[in-house]
Amino acid sequence: MKKVSIIYWSCGGNIEALANTMADGAREQGAEVRIKHVADATIEDVLEADSVAFGSPAVDAAKIEQLEMKPFLEQLKDYSKDNKKKNCILFATYGWIEDTFMKIWKDEMTSYGFNVMGDLAVKDSPTKKQTNLIKKLGKDLAN
Ligand SMILES: Cc1cc2nc3c(=O)[nH]c(=O)nc-3n(C[C@H](O)[C@H](O)[C@H](O)COP(=O)(O)O)c2cc1C
């Protein structure tokens, strides 16, 4: 059984809803899923997982959330050898910018040793098509 961790930051609930949909997709594929707000997550949640997903809204001119998500992810650069190309999916929501920050975020996670196999940025709430896509990304994490 694949171990999947989904770690996110959310205040208004948009990212949390995407995280839950992704978890449903992974569970449908038979994965054991840990889904946590980053405030409750530990490094072990990443190290012990076969694949991981991280979710954040865009804040402060196209950065990921800076007070909790950014420092959590920065710790992972010390484990780049342990991450050993672990499959990773990044998901984001934004209010008014285009999803330009995703490329920077992907490059950062790749430099920490992850294989970023998928990403999705959604303007606030997902369309039906985007909901299906995030569920599929959850299934991909479990495969
Ligand atoms: C303090 C704050 C700063 C934000 N900054 C940006 C921004 O720079 N660019 C943007 O597109 N959206 C920005 N947003 C909008 C959020 O990215 C968007 O509403 C997101 O869907 C919130 O996710 P959540 O409901 O999971 O908290 C900001 C929202 C907040 C509360």
Side-chain angles (χ1 to χ4, degrees):
M1 185 188 280
K2 277 270 173 80
K3 288 185 183 169
V4 168
S5 286
I6 300 172
I7 297 170
Y8 65 92
W9 188 96
S10 183
C11 176
N14 287 327
I15 280 286
E16 187 176 19
L18 292 183
N20 283 326
T21 304
M22 188 180 266
D24 288 344
R27 288 194 187 105
E28 278 175 23
Q29 288 301 103
E32 179 191 317
V33 179
R34 284 188 210 175
I35 173 169
K36 291 188 179 178
H37 191 287
V38 68
D40 302 320
T42 64
I43 287 293
E44 284 68 35
D45 291 323
V46 177
L47 298 181
E48 292 168 9
D50 297 304
S51 55
V52 290
F54 300 108
S56 172
V59 295
D60 298 339
K63 295 174 182 158
I64 61 166
E65 194 278 327
Q66 297 287 291
L67 296 180
E68 292 182 296
M69 190 51 121
K70 174 88 174 167
F72 181 84
L73 294 181
E74 273 180 346
Q75 300 173 77
L76 293 170
K77 67 180 156 196
D78 296 337
Y79 298 89
S80 55
K81 286 206 181 74
D82 304 292
N83 294 332
K84 285 194 198 98
K85 302 276 173 203
K86 190 171 285 196
N87 282 338
C88 167
I89 288 174
L90 303 178
F91 59 104
T93 54
Y94 60 92
W96 52 87
I97 52 139
E98 292 302 318
D99 54 349
T100 42
F101 70 104
M102 185 56 91
K103 187 185 171 334
I104 300 165
W105 193 16
K106 274 163 74 174
D107 289 348
E108 208 163 64
M109 298 311 290
T110 303
S111 77
Y112 297 173
F114 293 93
N115 174 41
V116 182
M117 63 186 288
D119 65 272
L120 179 67
V122 166
K123 186 170 186 324
D124 291 324
S125 304
T127 60
K128 179 112 180 71
K129 196 173 162 193
Q130 287 170 326
T131 298
N132 291 337
L133 184 52
I134 198 88
K135 197 161 189 178
K136 184 189 171 300
L137 289 173
K139 290 183 182 199
D140 291 347
L141 274 178
N143 287 331

